Amino acid sequence: MLPPHSSLLVAIVLLSSACGTSPGEQGDSPSEGAAFGNPASPDRPGEGPSDADTDADSDTDTDTDSDTDTDTDTDADTAPDGDPGTDSGAPIRFIAIGDAGTGSGDQYAVADAVAMVCAAHGCDFALYLGDNFYNDGVSSVDDAQWQESFELPYAALEFPFYAVLGNHDYGSGGGGFEVDRANAQVEYASQSDKFVMPSTFYSHVKGNATFFGLDTTALDWGRSQEQAAWLPGALAEVRTTWTIAYGHHPYISNGDHGNANDNFGPFFEDNLCGKVDVYLCGHDHDLQWLEPTCGTEFIVSGAGAKLRDTGMGSNPTQYEQSQLGFMWVEINSGVFTGVFYDDSGNELFRQTITK
């Protein structure tokens, strides 16, 4: 990411030191939020998410755990580590895929389609949109699901997965807030070359885009203090053409879970609407490209291994379908091209936006 000229490198290192930041250890300068910690104490004590999974798609959601752990690490950075990022001019290509952590044949089928598309068109990395491990996240770095539901299905994909947490990653069948299970994924990332999650929320720069990975489960529970303290300053540091946010929960969706609840919705409106160009998410097990709202494009790509019906809401969309698959993206200068593919590698829908 940094220019090869030694004098400039020294200057940037000195500047980073002066700002109290240090180069990230994973990916391209990821900026940490609350590493190894519980995302903030509740804004509304005792209130859980209103859209925890309750359907019968074999998730066996129980929504009974309202763990209110408060052992938080609050060293949230206010700016990206090192260089905040400037346009490199080189195109970047990545996939966005969520709700995939089942170890099922459907996960393998979508993974095979990803390998096919990436071989044909190129992929630099993946955005992994949460519910990385069904139904209850992982218990530790030694949990068998790391192999069964991540390493083995994606063995043929030789690029990093920038992951965020979903509601199932916090345990209790998708209805709890078990911080130890979330932190196990951060811990595993510290020793993995493929699974990247330096914190429960963080930012990183790729090419001419800055990416913000959010912990929307914490936001969905009303635990927004740390991300609210971190995000405005981090967004102010952006020097790239494109600003992309990604998380698990939708802001708007015509899937079974629908639009954001009264915790996540206001947070998004205050901090992200019109301030990020694109928001990518999962949670609803389908593929949707909604009409832009509040100055931001909204894309749901939560069909990495599971399906639910779409058409459950009235939000205007450019495309929506209950179909296993994923999104492939190319960002080339001021052009963002997104393409949905199914689990056989067939193109379903293509859309381009420009700046």
Side-chain angles (χ1 to χ4, degrees):
M1 296 276 306
L2 294 177
H5 308 296
S6 59
S7 60
L8 182 56
L9 175 60
V10 171
I12 290 173
V13 170
L14 291 173
L15 179 58
S16 299
S17 299
C19 294
T21 59
S22 60
E25 295 180 354
Q26 291 181 298
D28 287 3
S29 301
S31 169
E32 294 188 0
F36 296 90
N38 176 0
S41 54
D43 291 339
R44 304 181 186 185
E47 179 175 349
S50 63
D51 65 344
D53 292 349
T54 56
D55 45 55
D57 64 342
S58 75
D59 290 353
T60 62
D61 301 342
T62 55
D63 299 1
T64 58
D65 191 328
S66 57
D67 187 353
T68 55
D69 296 347
T70 56
D71 53 338
T72 65
D73 180 352
T74 57
D75 60 344
D77 295 339
T78 57
D81 289 344
D83 184 1
T86 55
D87 289 357
S88 70
I92 59 171
R93 301 174 182 92
F94 62 92
I95 65 159
I97 183 171
D99 303 79
T102 63
S104 66
D106 286 339
Q107 183 182 11
Y108 275 87
V110 175
D112 288 345
V114 169
M116 183 188 312
V117 169
C118 290
H121 304 294
C123 293
D124 301 310
F125 59 96
L127 300 182
Y128 208 39
L129 302 175
D131 282 0
N132 308 322
F133 302 97
Y134 283 97
N135 274 326
D136 301 300
V138 290
S139 59
S140 71
V141 297
D142 299 315
D143 195 305
Q145 290 183 94
W146 284 108
Q147 291 297 316
E148 296 167 358
S149 301
F150 181 73
E151 299 290 355
L152 293 176
Y154 301 128
L157 304 178
E158 298 181 349
F159 48 74
F161 281 59
Y162 287 83
V164 291
L165 296 162
N167 55 302
H168 282 275
D169 297 312
Y170 273 99
S172 299
F177 202 81
E178 300 178 46
V179 175
D180 288 348
R181 290 184 176 272
N183 288 344
Q185 296 194 33
V186 177
E187 185 178 357
Y188 186 87
S190 70
Q191 61 193 40
S192 173
D193 293 329
K194 178 174 283 189
F195 188 85
V196 182
M197 188 189 288
S199 170
T200 59
F201 56 91
Y202 60 100
S203 67
H204 54 104
V205 176
K206 295 284 189 180
N208 65 340
T210 303
F211 294 84
F212 291 88
L214 304 177
D215 183 357
T216 62
T217 302
L219 300 174
D220 203 52
W221 276 79
R223 303 183 179 205
S224 63
Q225 294 174 355
E226 290 188 3
Q227 290 178 84
W230 162 75
L231 190 56
L235 286 168
E237 292 289 331
V238 172
R239 299 294 182 268
T240 53
T241 300
W242 293 91
T243 305
I244 312 294
Y246 61 105
H248 183 62
H249 294 77
Y251 174 65
I252 52 174
S253 170
N254 290 337
D256 185 67
H257 289 108
N259 297 343
N261 72 4
D262 290 340
N263 291 323
F264 179 43
F267 178 91
F268 199 103
E269 290 152 12
D270 291 343
N271 295 282
L272 294 160
C273 271
K275 299 172 185 176
V276 300
D277 300 301
V278 179
Y279 177 66
L280 293 143
C281 67
H283 198 41
D284 278 328
H285 302 165
D286 52 43
L287 304 173
Q288 301 177 58
W289 192 319
L290 297 107
E291 291 286 350
T293 302
C294 72
T296 297
E297 297 274 349
F298 293 95
I299 298 168
V300 178
S301 183
K306 286 171 167 275
L307 287 179
R308 292 195 191 102
D309 289 338
T310 186
M312 309 290 284
S314 58
N315 299 293
T317 61
Q318 301 185 55
Y319 178 84
E320 61 179 280
Q321 187 171 342
S322 179
Q323 168 65 57
L324 289 172
F326 63 97
M327 170 160 277
W328 176 87
V329 176
E330 179 183 74
I331 298 178
N332 191 351
S333 187
V335 180
F336 176 110
T337 301
V339 186
F340 281 129
Y341 288 93
D342 69 13
D343 55 334
S344 295
N346 299 311
E347 182 175 326
L348 299 172
F349 176 79
R350 175 183 296 259
Q351 177 76 6
T352 296
I353 55 178
T354 60
K355 293 191 69 175

